[in-house]
Amino acid sequence: MACPRNPVEPVDKRAAADLVAEDFWAGLRSWTDARIALGRAGVSQRTRDVLAFQLDHARARDAVHQVLDRKVAFGETEYLEVESRAPDRAVFLRRPDLGRLLTPESEAMLAARAGSGFDVAFTVSAGLSSTAVEKNFTPFWQEFAPLLEGLGLRAAPPCFVEQGRVALGDRVALAFGARMAVVLIGERPGLSSPDSMGIYMTYGPKSDTTDEARNCISNIRPAGLGYAEAARTLCALMREAFRRKVSGVDLKVDDALALAPGPEAGKLAG
């Protein structure tokens, strides 16, 4: 005699929660944007997680390829526009070396404005995320500009380059005759952070400066490092770089901040 079969409840009558297997550590998701503890539906990912991945991937691609809206990015901030030797986005992505060099015309234009020289030259680049610069440059600059005045440094006019790598800031500083290069750039977008801006500071830049000579402040965005903290960190690094005449691995962020006079960032000039 055959054994009676157990009745099986139709799938469409089950509660959605009964179809999903949650990971025991799912509570940690509230602390990070990383894709952890996604759970599963049967042997597959849940549809909502697959769709969220596809959306984030599309946002990351858009951040790389969209043309930066200068009005949105800079607002009322005046700047000089320069060009790298990468003529368009496609070449910029294939040839990083061309994104590190100014065109002869841009180099001559900056040299004509050098005058008696500057202490610091700022370069803003869309880098690999136009979204990052559009969202973060102006609010960061509003926090940073008053602190820069307190440092008493002669700053060259900010420059913007659409297709520029970090090392292009060295060329800008050299053309201006500046002793320091500071580059604000859109960082390579992650799937949970397409809007991350980074800052690279180099004391005594040269045409062959390598990355260990730079200090980096990364992940500047509303969901990352705040604008006020990033501004205070940059000012502390700049002050110590000029005092010690070094940057990069010879200048630690923690040391510079320890010597900064606390949360009153306006006193950073000392």
Side-chain angles (χ1 to χ4, degrees):
M1 184 172 111
C3 296
R5 296 180 179 179
N6 293 325
V8 178
E9 185 179 3
V11 171
D12 58 358
K13 291 186 178 180
R14 297 177 187 173
D18 297 333
L19 302 177
V20 175
E22 292 283 1
D23 292 329
F24 72 92
W25 53 314
L28 295 179
R29 294 189 67 185
S30 62
W31 297 93
T32 177
D33 290 331
R35 285 180 166 77
I36 63 170
L38 296 182
R40 64 189 185 279
V43 297
S44 303
Q45 290 183 323
R46 289 177 284 190
T47 300
R48 70 181 187 189
D49 295 323
V50 173
L51 294 177
F53 175 85
Q54 293 174 343
L55 176 60
D56 287 344
H57 187 264
R59 286 171 173 163
R61 289 178 60 88
D62 287 347
V64 173
H65 292 286
Q66 73 180 12
V67 177
L68 185 137
D69 187 325
R70 290 157 174 75
K71 186 173 182 180
V72 171
F74 293 100
E76 302 300 320
T77 303
E78 296 183 0
Y79 62 93
L80 301 175
E81 185 157 357
V82 297
E83 294 181 342
S84 75
R85 297 188 188 181
D88 53 47
R89 202 62 173 169
V91 174
F92 171 76
L93 295 174
R94 293 196 309 266
R95 293 285 306 274
D97 56 316
L98 296 181
R100 301 185 183 108
L101 301 173
L102 285 168
T103 61
E105 296 79 8
S106 293
E107 195 166 356
M109 183 264 288
L110 297 181
R113 292 172 173 262
S116 58
F118 296 102
D119 293 313
V120 57
F122 293 93
T123 303
V124 183
S125 174
L128 291 172
S129 175
S130 299
T131 303
V133 176
E134 284 186 8
K135 289 187 176 181
N136 301 308
F137 172 75
T138 291
F140 167 80
W141 197 256
Q142 289 171 345
E143 294 281 352
F144 175 71
L147 307 186
L148 176 62
E149 292 181 7
L151 290 177
L153 299 174
R154 295 171 298 169
C159 293
F160 168 70
V161 56
E162 182 82 41
Q163 320 294 355
R165 302 280 177 169
V166 171
L168 186 117
D170 299 337
R171 304 286 179 159
V172 170
L174 289 171
F176 272 132
R179 295 187 291 160
M180 175 180 285
V182 177
V183 178
L184 299 89
I185 192 168
E187 296 183 304
R188 186 184 304 276
L191 291 178
S192 60
S193 56
D195 58 344
S196 178
M197 186 176 76
I199 299 176
Y200 293 81
M201 185 205 76
T202 309
Y203 181 84
K206 301 179 177 62
S207 60
D208 58 352
T209 296
T210 47
D211 287 342
E212 85 286 347
R214 313 186 198 283
N215 290 93
C216 176
I217 306 170
S218 185
N219 197 32
I220 301 169
R221 61 192 183 103
L225 184 66
Y227 304 125
E229 186 177 355
R232 177 174 177 267
T233 301
L234 178 58
C235 279
L237 283 170
M238 290 174 65
R239 187 182 70 166
E240 284 303 297
F242 277 106
R243 187 176 74 85
R244 303 186 193 184
K245 296 181 171 50
V246 295
S247 62
V249 296
D250 294 322
L251 179 62
K252 305 301 182 185
V253 174
D254 290 344
D255 292 343
L257 287 173
L259 293 171
E264 291 143 349
K267 297 180 182 178
L268 277 173

